Amino acid sequence: MLDTATKRRIDTARDILVGKVPDPKSQVEQITIALIYKFMDDMDAESEELGGKRAFFAGEYGRYGWAKLMRSGLGGHETLNLYAEAIATMPENPGIPPLFRTIFKNAYLPYRDPETLKSFLKIIDEFEYDHSERLGDAFEYLLSVLGSQGDAGQFRTPRHIIDFMVSILDPKKEEVILDPACGTAGFLISSYKHILRANSDAHGNSTLTPDEKGRLARNFKGYDISPDMVRLSLVNLYLHGFVDPHIEEYDTLTSEEKWNEFADVILANPPFMSPKGGIKPHRRFSVQSKRSEVLFVDYMAEHLTPSGRAGIIVPEGIIFQSGTSYKQLRKILVEKSLVAVISLPAGVFQPYSGVKTSILILDKSLARRSNSIAFFKVENDGFGLGAQRRAIEKNDLSAAFEFLKAWFSSIGSDREMMSSPNALIVQKEKIAGNGDYNLSGERYRENAIRLSNYPLVPIGEVCELINGRAFKPEDWKSIDSGGLPIVRIQNLNTPDSQFNYYTGDVSAQHIINPRELLFSWSGSRGTSFGAHIWYGGKAVLNQHIFKVGFNEAQATKMYLFHALNNAVAEIEENLHGGVGLVHITKGNLERIKIPLPPLEVQKEIVAEIEVYQANIERFKNAIAEEETKIQVTIARVWGEPFL
């Protein structure tokens, strides 16, 4: 647990730097370099106390020792010049091991303000080196400021998601564990802690032998294309007890040097973004693609040992994109290694991105024995899905863990699977059915072994469908008549469109009020046909439109709105008409079944849908802005828009 004093020191150091070093990653790098500098001097001092000699700051490098840097009477500019010279020349210091040379590689001081540096070094001076968990937690807290997206599309993975994935894969002390896009080594450290806990007695003492500890340290490997991330990973692992961590600067997708190296456990949240023009990989991948997310998943699937396991966070494109490489990748996964898909809610990476992601669980041994794949939809991960990500009580991760563990242990046995909300077991034959190998679990809900506790209820038992009135042409009056507007199909999408008016008597069942739920049972597919919320004023309803009545103790209006549209979109056999215009009879609509969860769950579902829709609108607006910029550029060059 991070203590308050250490957290305060880190926050203060960042506050001092922010005026000169506004980028969070650069702040972390400067604090990292300064801490390691200070800790090397601490280790030298400890060695002297025990009768040994200085190693880090010895010989000509003795003049850079921390005590000399912090001595009273040293002027501001002298301190700045001494410190800048020290960190720049440290990689050449013969007294430090290769790990520290790598950490100081390309290190420099990005500002020249003596007062800022002296205030910063004063805070660093308050830290003391040790190998305790406290210092490791302090560095992890420091790394937590790296939440913003990196240049290559990296996102910091939340700690609880990392721990969740590690608990599912359950890495063992004798296994080789790899993260081929390791960032700050979060997956490796979580795996290390998991193994230490699994190999401790009732009093918390390690049961690992010295040989096992040595082999364990050698079994953790990580690659990253960014030298900055490699530096941070090395420090993070070092502070968690790895004297010689195996993290290398390596381009997993374009280099072949490590192609023949395999791992028992692979955990990763690889970059989602591909550079302009795409990746230019070598030709040894099973799937030929220029997309980074495709290549990373292919790499991890191919580099598992015969009994290997993997947990991979992927963007939604991997789940359902129709491109050839995406379908080819999914086919390979389904046939050889995929055992589970865990859908995460949009917002897990907030406040930095609303990107929707899933976790692929690969297990080559289990996949050979199973004819099915498990799907689990996580709706809440213990934190709100808004920008603040405040802790909440609702958390589906433990239910997902229990379900998957039960599913894995049931493979190859006759034991009946436990029931769990939001869970599906789908046969591989169904997934391969139309050749696109779609990995969206909801797509197979009707064809799968249903494991939901929510009852399927006919629409007719939930909703009262009241058809509008049939008007004659002579009933239609102008706006000056003082009558009520007649809502026809063409008015549903555009409430401010032209209306006809009715001045005669009308029954209450044909009157609609603002925000009434309606259903157009005849109209154009994708526009007027289906459920609508009426945003106009008081009006009278024309035929071909149902007014939808319902019991508010049983269902919410917005949940029914989405459920009705989803139901008719998925069950084509109940629709009549051509490609563009369709209709559905009242009887057929009433017989269609929809899931009916509790009201609170209905509200949560609607809230999640609204997050998706907000993201879609944001993306649309961003695209429109880019298109406008293109047109402006073209007009500036050619003098008129290019059509």
Side-chain angles (χ1 to χ4, degrees), residues 238-276:
Y238 186 80
L239 295 179
H240 281 86
F242 287 77
V243 177
D244 183 25
H246 299 283
I247 305 294
E248 298 182 55
E249 184 180 336
Y250 181 72
D251 189 339
T252 303
L253 303 185
T254 64
S255 301
E256 296 186 59
E257 178 185 341
K258 301 181 183 300
W259 185 260
N260 294 324
E261 296 182 11
F262 296 84
D264 301 297
V265 176
I266 298 179
L267 287 144
N269 176 12
F272 298 166
M273 188 180 296
S274 298
K276 186 176 181 180

Side-chain angles (χ1 to χ4, degrees), residues 346-354 380-381 383-390 392 607 611:
V348 166
F349 289 103
Q350 291 281 22
Y352 313 104
S353 172
N380 291 284
D381 69 333
F383 295 86
L385 299 176
Q388 299 301 318
R389 292 286 279 156
R390 295 188 177 92
I392 61 174
V611 170

Side-chain angles (χ1 to χ4, degrees), residues 14 17-31 108 110 145-151 228-229 232:
R14 289 191 62 218
L17 290 176
V18 71
K20 302 295 181 181
V21 187
D23 175 48
K25 183 163 74 73
S26 297
Q27 294 169 14
V28 172
E29 290 169 0
Q30 290 303 309
I31 296 172
Y108 72 100
V145 307
L146 290 177
S148 55
Q149 183 179 1
D151 295 336
D228 296 332
M229 291 297 105
L232 296 177

Side-chain angles (χ1 to χ4, degrees), residues 34 61 78 107 111 125 169 198 200 224 272 289 291 318 324 405 413 417 422 435 504 509 522 568 576:
Y61 284 87
E78 291 176 293
Y111 58 91
D125 192 47
L169 294 188
S200 298
D224 203 283
F272 298 166
S289 175
R291 301 295 304 175
I318 292 291
T324 301
K405 282 299 181 185
S413 71
M417 264 301 296
N422 295 342
Q509 68 176 358
S522 179
V568 295
H576 307 277

Side-chain angles (χ1 to χ4, degrees), residues 38-223:
K38 168 70 164 55
F39 296 159
M40 288 194 304
D41 195 84
D42 288 348
M43 286 185 280
D44 269 351
E46 183 181 8
S47 177
E48 282 187 318
E49 289 178 6
L50 296 175
K53 296 181 178 180
R54 284 183 167 266
F56 297 104
F57 294 101
E60 63 178 295
Y61 284 87
R63 62 194 182 96
Y64 298 126
W66 189 262
K68 293 182 172 61
L69 184 68
M70 300 298 293
R71 71 180 183 271
S72 60
L74 190 66
H77 285 285
E78 291 176 293
T79 301
L80 187 146
N81 291 333
L82 186 63
Y83 180 74
E85 182 181 320
I87 62 175
T89 59
M90 202 62 68
E92 302 166 14
N93 185 345
I96 65 176
L99 165 65
F100 287 83
R101 290 199 189 97
T102 303
I103 290 171
F104 280 95
K105 182 181 178 182
N106 299 323
Y108 72 100
L109 189 65
Y111 58 91
R112 305 295 297 177
D113 178 27
E115 292 304 316
T116 297
L117 179 63
K118 294 203 76 168
S119 298
F120 173 67
L121 295 180
K122 184 178 179 181
I123 291 296
I124 297 299
D125 192 47
E126 297 179 12
F127 286 90
E128 293 182 4
Y129 173 75
D130 58 39
H131 274 295
S132 70
E133 183 69 14
R134 180 174 57 84
L135 194 52
D137 286 341
F139 192 70
E140 286 191 30
Y141 170 70
L142 177 61
L143 294 179
S144 72
V145 307
L146 290 177
S148 55
Q149 183 179 1
D151 295 336
Q154 313 101 315
F155 289 100
R156 176 182 172 269
T157 312
R159 170 59 52 190
H160 65 290
I161 299 296
I162 290 176
D163 293 341
F164 168 68
M165 294 170 63
V166 169
S167 66
I168 291 174
L169 294 188
D170 189 22
K172 302 295 193 294
K173 62 183 179 181
E174 68 278 2
E175 293 181 317
V176 173
I177 301 163
L178 169 68
D179 184 344
C182 68
T184 57
F187 280 109
L188 299 179
I189 288 171
S190 179
S191 298
Y192 179 65
K193 291 178 179 178
H194 178 89
I195 293 172
L196 292 182
R197 286 192 299 269
N199 292 275
S200 298
D201 60 23
H203 303 288
N205 299 314
S206 175
T207 59
L208 294 170
T209 66
D211 285 345
E212 287 175 332
K213 289 180 179 179
R215 185 167 60 251
L216 180 63
R218 293 191 297 272
N219 281 346
F220 285 84
K221 299 179 180 180
Y223 315 144

Side-chain angles (χ1 to χ4, degrees), residues 466-472 475-477 481-489 491-492 499-514 516 518 534 536-547:
I466 303 171
N467 197 18
R469 173 173 174 165
F471 291 95
K472 300 176 182 179
D475 293 330
W476 297 351
K477 307 298 180 183
S481 66
L484 289 174
I486 301 171
V487 177
R488 297 181 291 167
I489 290 175
N491 301 125
L492 289 178
F499 288 88
N500 291 305
Y501 292 79
Y502 182 66
T503 57
D505 295 332
V506 62
S507 64
Q509 68 176 358
H510 293 139
I511 295 293
I512 58 172
N513 293 296
E516 194 107 39
L518 308 176
W534 173 245
K538 184 177 180 181
V540 59
L541 197 61
N542 193 22
Q543 63 179 346
H544 298 289
I545 304 173
F546 293 130
K547 182 167 70 170

